[in-house]
Amino acid sequence: MKLVDVHCHLNHKVFEGKIDQIIINAKQNNVKAILVSGVNSKSNREVLELVKKDDLLKASLGIYPIDALGLAEGETGLPRQPEKIDLDEEFKFIEKNKDKIVAIGEIGMDFHWDKDHHQEQENNFRKIIQFANKICKPIIIHTRNAEKECLDVLEQESKVKVCLHSFSGNKKLIKRAIELGYYFSVPPKIMLLEQFQMLVSMVPLTQLLTETDAPWMSPERDLFNEPANVLVTIKKIAEIKNLTIEEIADQVWKNYSSFIIP
Ligand SMILES: [Zn+2]
């Protein structure tokens, strides 16, 4: 059995000094690939450095919508981005390292944390998708309170494969994203949130992926999450789809394999 975590933040400071153990735990649960996502200039550099530690770790470099604007969400445990990101400079850096990365993300739009720069967020998002098209890398999308707007932009711009991470859109938007052929990555928080259970019941198994968003999105309240927990999500998907854990794991691995091929 091969499991995958397509989205997590192992460069978060809670994992300092614990990465070796986190990798051991993941391997014990048959996790064969962990995509570590960057969110800004500094974290992208940290991610590239971190993934050298083990073949299991893969880099996904990103530009988080709030970081692109130089706005801080408060202390997150990830490197701060106090100024606007110079997108062209960051694109140059990512392109130079494109053979070392499997995806672009996380990227997207977030109208929850920022109420005043929606047009600028959209412009940035378009530019980043166009860049991903140019270097032929799949994209991993964060969206909060901007699910419809994100799908509009993706539909117009994206020529690469799309994964919506921890998608909180309503049924109508889930249906639209299914029809667009997008993947949905589901976190272990599915144990607590009806939203993700509903999503899994709607989305064909061929469009599901697993993630942890570690250290966030834990299956239990107030606990830190880690990539080994993708097994929790696989078990829950098996229950909802009424299939075996092996059947779910095999198909999700196939989905991952086709997601990362341009
Ligand atoms: Zn994330």
Side-chain angles (χ1 to χ4, degrees):
M1 192 161 76
K2 289 177 170 180
L3 305 187
V4 59
D5 181 350
V6 299
H7 180 76
C8 67
H9 302 278
L10 292 188
N11 61 320
H12 191 284
K13 68 181 180 197
V14 295
F15 295 121
E16 253 170 44
K18 300 191 182 120
I19 290 295
D20 293 332
Q21 189 59 48
I22 294 289
I23 292 172
I24 291 169
N25 297 347
K27 287 181 175 172
Q28 278 172 350
N29 273 6
N30 291 309
V31 180
K32 308 290 185 196
I34 298 172
L35 274 57
V36 185
S37 283
V39 295
N40 59 38
S41 310
K42 188 158 180 236
S43 83
N44 284 339
R45 283 145 186 85
E46 286 183 0
V47 167
L48 279 182
E49 202 46 45
L50 180 66
V51 298
K52 291 180 189 162
K53 229 178 166 16
D54 197 293
D55 278 350
L56 179 70
L57 304 176
K58 325 268 177 208
S60 165
L61 301 189
I63 299 173
Y64 199 72
I66 303 302
D67 293 56
L69 299 169
L71 301 173
E73 281 187 7
E75 191 48 63
T76 64
L78 291 172
R80 301 289 288 264
Q81 179 71 42
E83 306 94 32
K84 276 192 191 187
I85 296 177
D86 182 331
L87 293 185
D88 292 323
E89 279 302 309
E90 200 57 25
F91 293 162
K92 267 188 225 157
F93 174 78
I94 296 173
E95 191 164 7
K96 203 172 69 191
N97 290 289
K98 76 178 162 82
D99 297 335
K100 298 180 195 153
I101 71 172
V102 297
I104 298 289
E106 56 187 303
I107 62 172
M109 293 197 281
D110 190 318
F111 293 175
H112 173 78
W113 282 104
D114 162 56
K115 318 266 187 228
D116 307 315
H117 310 82
H118 292 180
Q119 188 58 50
E120 193 177 349
Q121 282 201 41
E122 185 186 317
N123 297 346
N124 288 342
F125 189 37
R126 283 185 196 279
K127 279 188 204 152
I128 300 167
I129 299 169
Q130 288 159 6
F131 169 70
N133 291 340
K134 181 182 150 200
I135 65 164
C136 293
K137 295 287 177 185
I139 50 183
I140 296 170
I141 308 299
H142 163 94
T143 176
R144 191 156 177 210
N145 290 3
E147 287 85 3
K148 183 195 172 288
E149 291 82 353
C150 253
L151 291 185
D152 290 344
V153 173
L154 284 164
E155 187 170 9
Q156 290 162 20
E157 301 288 352
S158 177
K159 297 180 173 66
V160 293
K161 294 189 181 134
V162 174
C163 171
L164 303 170
H165 117 76
S166 293
F167 190 67
S168 296
N170 62 26
K171 284 186 180 173
K172 194 174 153 205
L173 295 172
I174 293 171
K175 197 162 169 279
R176 183 171 159 209
I178 293 170
E179 283 161 7
L180 287 165
Y182 297 166
Y183 293 94
F184 296 78
S185 63
V186 184
K189 202 165 192 153
I190 188 171
M191 301 308 290
L192 302 174
L193 290 186
E194 179 70 28
Q195 164 74 17
F196 297 130
Q197 296 169 18
M198 180 267 284
L199 183 143
V200 164
S201 69
M202 284 183 71
V203 176
L205 182 55
T206 49
Q207 282 169 260
L208 288 176
L209 290 168
T210 46
E211 64 162 87
T212 60
D213 205 16
W216 297 290
M217 293 287 175
S218 169
E220 291 174 65
R221 262 176 242 288
D222 304 326
L223 277 189
F224 284 115
N225 201 2
E226 60 173 295
N229 284 337
V230 286
L231 182 59
V232 174
T233 305
I234 290 286
K235 286 179 178 167
K236 191 69 184 173
I237 298 175
E239 185 192 312
I240 295 170
K241 295 289 194 195
N242 205 12
L243 290 167
T244 66
I245 292 167
E246 288 74 17
E247 284 168 323
I248 301 296
D250 284 354
Q251 186 59 51
V252 169
W253 184 263
K254 279 184 197 151
N255 300 345
Y256 163 66
S257 306
S258 56
F259 173 65
I260 59 169
I261 295 167

